[in-house]
Amino acid sequence: MHTELAETGKLQELLGRLGAGLDTFQEFTHLDAQHPSKDWQSQLTTALPQQGEGIDSVLDTLIQQVVANGSPVPKPGFTSYITTGATTIATLATTAASVASPQRYMLTAFNLLEELSLQWMAEMFSLGAMQGVYSSGGSVANLVAMGAARQSAFERIGIDPAANGVTRPVSIYASTECHHTIQRAAGVLGLGRRAVKAIACDDQGRMRASELVRAIEADLANDILPMAIVANAGTTNTGAIDPLAKIGAIAKQYGIWFHVDGAYGLPGILDERISHLFAGLELADSVIVDPHKWLGASVGVAATYVHDRELLRRAFTQEPADYLEGTALQEGEPSARVEHSLDHFGIPYFDYGVELSAPCRGVVVWAMIREIGVTGLRQRMRRHNDMAAFIVTFAEDYPQLEILLAPTLSICCFRYVSEGVEDLDRLNQRLHRQLVRENQYMPSTTRVKGQLALRPCFVGARHEQDQVEGLMAAVLRIGATLV
């Protein structure tokens, strides 16, 4: 006799109903969640239920009130930030993992795909024999990489920082365009956010190697330990790629950990027209990439790569726990015979990062790559890079459009101009807000060389050429109206 009130089966029927609701959502004909006609807040804001209403009623509300008032992020015209809606296979793989393998551990097919997918990405992105570990996003991926850098730097001077703490001031060198998660990682790791030294960039948004050397020499003269150099393989702001070969050579010269943040841009290496810009990647000690960006995974999938995961183990290993030790076979145990998936934890990813509980992310990456292959992913990177380049070509025919920074990858920064307008920043801010409120084409904004720019970033599998053409037509129309 079942006493549990929660439904634990009927997935085929219930997922079918949810799938129909999601397909309707993905027609993208609905109004935005904040449209004045919407009243879902009052529908959903209810008192704490003392008695349940059953799964059918909850599912109806989920489809009609929650899904129908979801995020604009999956829309084909959404080009703000660097995030996107998952592809169908990523959604299916995520759902499969949530049911069939709630944790990434144990000797299951999911644990095997965790490692296989990491190896596939290393091969696809020219990372050689680097080994990886998944985490929830670029924030944690960079934290893991900086943890490895901290461990390496202090071990060189005979100190185990994971066990005994940091004993002297350090510096992390990152460009003024680096992602702010580097500063946060420094704070979390006990190094201090001010340990991150901002290195000036050139007019293309790339780190100046000469300024990097100057900063390193100044720290050495003041007995500050150079811990890591962070280079960008595609900045969040503009998509700029730092001179990786020059920076990597400097890192080797001074014996400093060389980290490459490729959270967004690393898949761009698949576009053979620009793959030469990634020369020097082979010099990196750590690299990160976010499959939930350009590859199309559900949000919550990032990877950190290093040459030896034992360094990660030393940086992040847990102290023994009674409820874990002895429940599975231990490494090196004589006569170890695996007869059940619970006999072994599988690859101990919990010792290579900051998560113990973690979903199976590898199956998502495996499924995406297996669905369309390297060829399909390369086609996507080329299409998106072409869309950013199209804006430059398009602007040549319209004096109202000014390119503030030509694209390296799939980001293009431009603005609307008019001789009769003194405050172009305000004009473009108003233009942007009107674009967003029309709910069709939604880029973000940024500042380039002190000027406000419209900043479409093309990374979604739903982004096609008609979206960039529609965006440019809308910019011209709204700009003319505002002027």
Side-chain angles (χ1 to χ4, degrees):
M1 178 180 177
H2 292 289
T3 58
E4 174 59 53
L5 298 179
E7 176 63 64
T8 57
K10 298 171 61 177
L11 283 170
Q12 182 174 2
E13 172 195 341
L14 298 171
L15 285 175
R17 287 168 56 187
L18 177 60
L22 291 171
D23 279 341
T24 299
F25 175 83
Q26 290 193 127
E27 293 172 3
F28 302 115
T29 58
H30 55 277
L31 298 172
D32 182 69
Q34 290 298 320
H35 192 275
S37 67
K38 295 280 192 170
D39 64 350
W40 53 270
Q41 292 97 333
S42 61
Q43 299 279 344
L44 294 176
T45 306
T46 62
L48 172 67
Q50 298 301 319
Q51 300 294 325
E53 58 190 86
I55 193 169
D56 289 314
S57 175
V58 174
L59 182 57
D60 286 342
T61 302
L62 179 64
I63 295 169
Q64 296 165 14
Q65 298 296 336
V66 182
V67 169
N69 295 291
S71 169
V73 167
K75 291 191 70 165
F78 177 91
T79 55
S80 293
Y81 321 121
I82 307 180
T83 187
T84 184
T87 61
T88 299
I89 194 63
T91 302
L92 295 175
T94 300
T95 303
S98 70
V99 175
S101 188
Q103 295 275 358
R104 62 182 167 181
Y105 312 116
M106 316 305 172
L107 292 180
T108 68
F110 289 90
N111 187 259
L112 183 147
L113 294 183
E114 200 86 354
E115 188 72 356
L116 178 63
S117 62
L118 286 165
Q119 293 170 358
W120 278 4
M121 282 202 298
E123 180 180 350
M124 187 165 63
F125 299 143
S126 301
L127 300 181
M130 280 185 135
Q131 298 175 299
V133 59
Y134 285 115
S135 60
S136 61
S139 298
V140 178
N142 273 328
L143 173 66
V144 171
M146 289 300 96
R150 183 188 68 171
Q151 194 71 21
S152 175
F154 278 92
E155 284 184 358
R156 289 188 179 193
I157 58 174
I159 295 167
D160 181 351
N164 301 311
V166 174
T167 59
R168 57 183 286 191
V170 304
S171 282
I172 299 170
Y173 309 95
S175 84
T176 52
E177 292 290 306
C178 88
H179 199 272
H180 57 259
T181 55
I182 299 298
Q183 284 88 347
R184 181 163 60 190
V188 171
L189 290 167
L191 308 169
R193 291 190 298 275
R194 292 186 178 86
V196 181
K197 304 292 176 62
I199 308 301
C201 292
D202 62 18
D203 60 2
Q204 300 299 305
R206 302 169 302 199
M207 183 191 291
R208 292 184 182 274
S210 59
E211 293 297 319
L212 172 62
V213 171
R214 186 175 292 113
I216 294 170
E217 291 287 355
D219 282 341
L220 290 174
N222 288 285
D223 199 32
I224 295 174
L225 180 65
M227 191 193 91
I229 299 170
V230 179
N232 293 295
T235 61
T236 301
N237 207 28
T238 66
I241 298 174
D242 287 329
L244 303 180
K246 285 185 179 179
I247 296 171
I250 292 168
K252 298 306 176 189
Q253 176 186 348
Y254 287 94
I256 305 172
W257 185 274
F258 180 36
H259 173 58
V260 175
D261 184 342
Y264 149 54
L266 184 58
I269 198 173
L270 296 180
D271 185 342
E272 66 279 3
R273 300 169 299 181
I274 59 170
S275 58
H276 63 280
L277 298 177
F278 295 84
L281 190 62
E282 69 280 359
L283 301 174
D285 295 295
S286 57
V287 178
I288 73 162
V289 63
D290 285 4
H292 68 216
K293 291 184 167 71
W294 221 342
L295 298 190
S298 315
V299 169
V301 186
T304 304
Y305 285 90
V306 295
H307 286 288
D308 182 4
R309 282 192 302 217
E310 285 305 304
L311 180 65
L312 293 180
R313 187 196 292 268
R314 296 197 296 277
F316 296 109
T317 188
Q318 307 168 94
E319 295 298 322
D322 289 341
Y323 72 95
L324 289 177
E325 309 306 319
T327 63
L329 296 173
Q330 304 298 306
E331 290 184 21
E333 200 174 306
S335 68
R337 185 177 173 186
V338 175
E339 297 179 338
H340 192 280
S341 59
L342 282 175
D343 284 345
H344 200 282
F345 284 116
I347 295 176
Y349 297 108
F350 46 72
D351 277 338
Y352 300 147
V354 296
E355 297 173 297
L356 177 55
S357 295
C360 299
R361 301 177 174 109
V363 65
V364 179
V365 177
W366 167 85
M368 292 188 303
I369 297 174
R370 186 154 179 177
E371 181 193 16
I372 65 174
V374 177
T375 299
L377 291 170
R378 177 177 290 112
Q379 180 186 76
R380 184 188 302 164
M381 310 311 149
R382 287 178 60 97
R383 180 175 83 248
H384 292 162
N385 290 340
D386 286 345
M387 289 170 68
F390 171 83
I391 297 175
V392 177
T393 304
F394 185 91
E396 292 173 356
D397 295 329
Y398 294 91
Q400 307 97 309
L401 302 176
E402 179 185 4
I403 302 299
L404 293 178
L405 188 63
T408 301
L409 295 169
S410 63
I411 297 173
C412 187
C413 299
F414 70 101
R415 65 177 180 169
Y416 189 94
V417 297
S418 174
E419 291 182 359
V421 177
E422 291 185 8
D423 192 344
L424 290 174
D425 282 1
R426 183 169 182 270
L427 170 63
N428 281 275
Q429 190 73 69
R430 292 175 62 202
L431 193 160
H432 174 257
R433 294 319 305 163
Q434 181 60 35
L435 266 176
V436 169
R437 283 176 171 81
E438 289 186 358
N439 201 37
Q440 190 67 33
Y441 307 106
M442 293 166 281
S444 64
T445 63
T446 191
R447 287 198 168 271
V448 176
K449 303 169 187 175
Q451 299 165 320
L452 187 81
L454 301 174
R455 177 197 164 278
C457 174
F458 305 102
V459 293
R462 298 171 182 84
H463 291 161
E464 298 286 354
Q465 180 64 21
D466 60 332
Q467 275 96 48
V468 68
E469 292 173 3
L471 168 64
M472 301 314 293
V475 167
L476 290 173
R477 171 177 53 81
I478 296 171
T481 302
L482 292 175
V483 170

